Amino acid sequence: MATKHEQILKYIENLAVGEKISVRKIAKNLSVSEGTAYRAIKDAEIIGFVSTIKRVGTLRIERKQKDSIEKLTFAEIVNMIDGQVLGGRAGLYKSLNKFVIGAMTVEAMERYTDAGNLLIVGNRVSAHELALKRGAAVLITGGFDTDDEVKQLADEKELPILSTSYDTFTVATMINRAIYDQLIKKEVVFVEDILTPLDTTAFLSTADKVADWHKMEEETGHSRFPVVNRAMRLTGMVTSKDILDKNPSISIERVMTKNPLTVGPKMSVASVAHMMIWESIEVIPVVKDDLTLIGIVSRQDILKSMQMIQKQPQVGETIDDTIANQLSEKADTGVEADYEFKVSPQMTNSLGTLSYGVFTQVVCEVVQQKLFSMKKRNVAIENVTMYFLKPVQMDATIVIKPRILEMGRKAGKLDVELYLEGILTGKAIVACQMMER
């Protein structure tokens, strides 16, 4: 029989998308305590069934698929523009494809407004109605309202009609920036995207014996397993080293490694890769905030995801990408490749000279490119010692010379020198580690 918690989650899952949810309402309808209802709503939010929007409330939403491209929703736009929802609340979690600025006649607007669009327009009721009929949402700027008939149409079609006090130019700039940021975000791979889920994870319980470890090793071919208690909360990790020469009847709880390193589902794969390199671990458990086990991530999972990322086309440009784009390999430099970097105005500090942060990133990027050329693909920068000797002016072109000091299978050290017109202007010693299979 399902627990009250599971019954509430099932109840929420069966609600219509866009329906408002409250602790009091669920407690009353299902005859549970408000505390039980609150905890279930919070879990439903983690799962992706509901979301709380400022000035709107907690709503049942359409659960996003993990492999889908992240897009802006109309609900996110409400928060961004400090807006109000005038109608069509049930469509808040529909995705925005593009926005159209309604600075034209209604007849001309018809050609540019399609389903999934957001029409940004002022106090023009005929334009509001046209957009909704064509399957587009509406954002009214200048703090204006619209007719009741238009609000009713928005409710019928489940298309949001929003209002904001900002002007059209400001709103368009904000949304454009958000769309650009989403393109960057979708390139970031998180633990939840690559983890081995709990239903396919091999694990042991604190009540198991060493003999159970041997049995699981034969069944799975693996030797590292998380250990959980009756509540499915992680209590340790057990490996072949832990059970070496141990009596098969001894409890797993007595031989396991307690308080192991863990990661959360929202941690980036890059962070986990560094952790696994520095701590020399092969498998790491993935847990919720209360240490409930939800899966594992292995070194092989990390390597596969990093190779996948390298093959993806760059869509959104981060600050690091901007710096990398200014870096190029210098032609005709002999055996050891040198690199050139042009200092653009946005890479300078308030004095007009090269920023320390950009200087550091340039050094790290050169090291990454140098090691990549040596077939060292998965590199973690461990330590950077900087010597910024002389200021570098904007629009200057500096030459960077990386030189290998030490290089082993798992670690290396490089000396990096920066020259401006043949004069040494900066120097760095970089220590790094490589993740291998």
Side-chain angles (χ1 to χ4, degrees):
M1 185 177 174
T3 63
K4 286 183 179 180
H5 186 83
E6 290 168 340
Q7 288 173 11
I8 298 169
L9 288 177
K10 192 69 180 174
Y11 171 80
I12 292 172
E13 187 179 0
N14 290 332
L15 290 175
V17 172
E19 188 165 334
K20 219 166 184 182
I21 297 167
S22 73
V23 171
R24 188 171 296 176
K25 183 179 176 183
I26 286 180
K28 184 180 177 183
N29 289 351
L30 299 181
S31 301
V32 297
S33 69
E34 291 193 0
T36 302
Y38 175 79
R39 286 190 293 273
I41 290 172
K42 284 299 174 187
D43 268 7
E45 197 164 355
I46 292 169
I47 295 168
F49 289 155
V50 304
S51 184
T52 302
I53 311 168
K54 193 177 177 182
R55 293 179 302 280
V56 174
T58 303
L59 302 177
R60 171 73 171 94
I61 64 169
E62 189 68 56
R63 191 176 180 186
K64 291 181 182 177
Q65 296 298 315
K66 280 172 67 174
D67 57 353
S68 67
I69 293 175
E70 288 291 335
K71 290 186 178 179
L72 272 182
T73 62
F74 297 117
E76 289 165 334
I77 287 173
V78 173
N79 289 333
M80 188 192 314
I81 62 172
D82 199 23
Q84 289 182 310
V85 183
L86 303 179
R89 194 178 298 276
L92 281 172
Y93 273 88
K94 291 181 178 177
S95 293
L96 160 70
N97 294 329
K98 68 174 184 177
F99 64 87
V100 179
I101 297 175
M104 56 191 90
T105 63
V106 174
E107 292 75 20
M109 219 177 286
E110 192 170 359
R111 286 182 295 169
Y112 294 97
T113 308
D114 297 312
N117 291 177
L118 175 67
L119 177 68
I120 302 174
V121 68
N123 188 24
R124 299 170 66 188
V125 175
S126 56
H128 306 164
E129 191 174 1
L130 168 73
L132 292 170
K133 285 180 178 177
R134 293 189 63 82
V138 179
L139 173 55
I140 306 170
T141 57
F144 292 108
D145 202 341
T146 189
D147 290 352
D148 290 338
E149 291 80 6
V150 175
K151 294 176 186 176
Q152 188 177 346
L153 180 62
D155 289 335
E156 288 171 5
K157 291 187 169 288
E158 296 187 351
L159 289 168
I161 184 159
L162 316 174
S163 176
T164 179
S165 57
Y166 292 115
D167 61 74
T168 301
F169 176 79
T170 303
V171 165
T173 303
M174 293 163 78
I175 295 174
N176 191 57
R177 177 70 253 180
I179 290 172
Y180 195 64
D181 286 348
Q182 288 292 74
L183 292 174
I184 294 171
K185 282 181 184 177
K186 79 166 190 173
E187 296 295 316
V188 179
V189 180
F190 295 100
V191 167
E192 65 182 359
D193 298 321
I194 67 164
L195 65 79
T196 301
L198 186 63
D199 55 0
T200 54
T201 294
F203 58 88
L204 293 165
S205 77
T206 49
D208 287 331
K209 309 293 183 186
V210 168
D212 295 307
W213 180 93
H214 286 290
K215 185 179 178 183
M216 190 164 284
E217 184 197 27
E218 287 178 13
E219 291 174 355
T220 65
H222 300 300
S223 61
R224 300 172 178 85
F225 306 107
V227 183
V228 298
N229 61 19
R230 288 183 180 180
M232 288 303 295
R233 288 190 172 88
L234 185 78
T235 58
M237 282 288 290
V238 61
T239 70
S240 55
K241 289 181 182 178
D242 298 319
I243 58 89
L244 190 65
D245 298 327
K246 295 293 190 299
N247 190 310
S249 62
I250 293 177
S251 169
I252 284 291
E253 192 172 15
R254 288 178 57 189
V255 300
M256 71 182 185
T257 301
K258 296 180 180 178
N259 302 318
L261 285 173
T262 62
V263 296
K266 291 295 182 183
M267 183 178 282
S268 72
V269 165
S271 299
V272 180
H274 281 223
M275 187 185 295
M276 295 180 93
I277 290 171
W278 291 330
E279 301 296 337
S280 296
I281 50 180
E282 300 294 325
V283 173
I284 194 161
V286 185
V287 297
K288 294 182 182 179
D289 291 340
D290 63 357
L291 291 181
T292 301
L293 183 69
I294 57 176
I296 58 169
V297 170
S298 70
R299 188 172 285 236
Q300 289 297 99
D301 295 329
I302 297 288
L303 284 166
K304 284 178 185 175
S305 69
M306 291 173 83
Q307 287 160 6
M308 178 192 73
I309 294 165
Q310 289 165 3
K311 292 175 184 175
Q312 297 303 311
Q314 188 62 40
V315 183
E317 193 174 79
T318 64
I319 294 169
D320 286 1
D321 295 324
T322 305
I323 293 170
N325 289 338
Q326 294 289 97
L327 195 65
S328 59
E329 193 170 324
K330 197 168 183 289
D332 303 323
T333 54
V335 179
E336 288 284 342
D338 293 344
Y339 298 83
E340 286 185 332
F341 179 80
K342 186 171 182 181
V343 182
S344 61
Q346 68 265 38
M347 295 176 189
T348 59
N349 55 28
S350 58
L351 301 175
T353 61
L354 181 64
S355 157
Y356 289 114
V358 174
F359 176 80
T360 306
Q361 182 55 33
V362 168
V363 168
C364 292
E365 184 64 34
V366 166
V367 168
Q368 296 271 4
Q369 289 194 23
K370 174 69 175 178
L371 294 177
F372 188 85
S373 69
M374 298 170 63
K375 310 298 182 188
K376 305 283 187 181
R377 296 178 183 272
N378 304 313
V379 180
I381 304 292
E382 189 174 23
N383 185 43
V384 182
T385 305
M386 310 290 295
Y387 304 93
F388 207 168
L389 307 177
K390 295 182 181 178
V392 179
Q393 301 295 319
M394 71 173 74
D395 295 326
T397 299
I398 54 178
V399 176
I400 304 109
K401 297 175 180 286
R403 186 166 57 90
I404 305 292
L405 296 178
E406 300 171 13
M407 186 55 61
R409 189 168 62 89
K410 291 187 176 181
K413 187 177 285 186
L414 292 87
D415 172 76
V416 183
E417 295 181 335
L418 289 81
Y419 290 87
L420 178 60
E421 297 178 353
I423 299 171
L424 184 66
T425 60
K427 188 178 176 68
I429 303 295
V430 182
C432 55
Q433 293 196 38
M434 275 69 74
M435 176 180 269
E436 298 188 355
R437 292 185 181 277

